[in-house]
Amino acid sequence: MERLDKYLADSGCGTRSAVKAFIKARRVTVDGAVAKDPAMKVGPEHTVCLDGQALGGKQRLVYMLHKPAGFVTANSDPVEKTVMELLPEQLRRQGLNPVGRLDKETEGLLLFTNDGELLHRLISPKKEVAKVYYARHEGDAAEEDIAAFSQGITLRDGTLCRPAVLQRLGAGESLVTVCEGKYHQVRRMMASRGMPVVYLKRISEGPLSLGELPLGQMRQLTEEEIALLE
Ligand code: URA
């Protein structure tokens, strides 16, 4: 259950103050009765109408951002620029939060959603979503490195990583697929094999790929794409 004014605003019919004005103007009904109190509690079991039109409640939003380097994945930061600054104002007001994180200097696919349940499911270690990174690095990936990744790398601080896939694309260029999200994981895995990363970009996450989305831009996922995440 949530406040009527929040329910109306989340349904996309106006700002919190605009919807209060709709209520005052007797344009909102709850289960057929004119609503008078913006603080009254409503939930999915109620039929809320504006001007006789039923509202669907909060719309689930999922967006994909092509994150540029130089932005930290956080809702706010006293010093750094955050990924939230890349969201258009109207989306910032919709309660979108980043799903997982990319390091400040990492580019690529970063999801945002206003659905807390979906967010927690996607970042749960149990879910084991495969994430693919394109890395440019010092050195060259050799057969022994590929084998070490497939067995599970032990980082320099002793942390054990799950088996991962290292695919050599060319000299100093590889694809890395991991199913977990430890701090600086790909950079630390590569460093532990003597191949420090100089450029890192996430190109896919589970069934979703960055595709042709330009750097710094975002796009809304379709219902079909969201269904693939479930
Ligand atoms: N691994 C990293 O090292 N950095 C990221 O941003 C994501 C995965």
Side-chain angles (χ1 to χ4, degrees), residues 67 73 101-107 131 133 178 180-189 197 200 202:
K67 177 193 173 298
T73 308
R101 65 195 301 282
L102 287 178
D103 302 336
K104 181 178 167 193
E105 295 312 332
T106 303
E107 289 184 358
K131 292 154 212 138
Y133 296 85
V178 294
E180 49 187 349
K182 297 188 196 305
Y183 178 70
H184 283 196
Q185 181 157 357
V186 173
R187 293 176 195 276
R188 291 197 294 156
M189 287 168 94
V197 167
L200 191 63
R202 179 152 72 197

Side-chain angles (χ1 to χ4, degrees), residues 201-218:
K201 174 180 186 160
R202 179 152 72 197
I203 56 176
S204 71
E205 182 164 357
L208 303 173
S209 295
L210 205 49
E212 299 298 308
L213 186 64
L215 187 67
Q217 299 291 303
M218 39 191 341

Side-chain angles (χ1 to χ4, degrees), residues 16 45 59 62 68 97 118 127 145 154 191 217:
R16 208 66 174 256
E45 67 276 25
Q59 194 199 348
V62 189
N97 284 298
L118 178 67
K127 180 90 177 155
D145 301 311
T154 303
Q217 299 291 303

Side-chain angles (χ1 to χ4, degrees), residues 36-171:
K36 298 194 177 85
D37 181 6
M40 83 177 280
K41 290 286 173 20
V42 292
E45 67 276 25
H46 293 108
T47 303
V48 181
C49 295
L50 173 64
D51 299 331
Q53 286 289 321
L55 301 170
K58 180 169 163 178
Q59 194 199 348
R60 181 165 64 175
L61 301 173
V62 189
Y63 279 79
M64 171 192 295
L65 168 72
H66 186 164
K67 177 193 173 298
F71 293 81
V72 295
T73 308
N75 283 311
S76 64
D77 192 282
V79 182
E80 305 283 0
K81 290 185 287 181
T82 77
V83 290
M84 300 311 283
E85 293 168 37
L86 297 162
L87 269 54
E89 178 60 34
Q90 153 250 347
L91 284 182
R92 253 184 274 168
R93 279 194 267 109
Q94 303 266 11
L96 287 180
N97 284 298
V99 178
R101 65 195 301 282
L102 287 178
D103 302 336
K104 181 178 167 193
E105 295 312 332
T106 303
E107 289 184 358
L109 194 165
L110 184 63
L111 295 176
F112 287 80
T113 184
N114 64 349
D115 181 341
E117 243 174 69
L118 178 67
L119 192 153
H120 285 110
R121 250 184 297 133
L122 288 174
I123 61 176
S124 155
K126 282 195 220 118
K127 180 90 177 155
E128 294 201 4
V129 180
K131 292 154 212 138
V132 184
Y133 296 85
Y134 166 80
R136 277 204 299 272
H137 51 86
E138 290 177 21
D140 209 352
E143 284 307 320
E144 308 85 77
D145 301 311
I146 294 170
F149 269 62
S150 73
Q151 279 150 23
I153 293 276
T154 303
L155 301 178
R156 284 175 173 161
D157 67 356
T159 306
L160 185 65
C161 298
R162 289 192 197 156
V165 180
L166 174 64
Q167 191 185 341
R168 183 184 183 275
L169 295 178

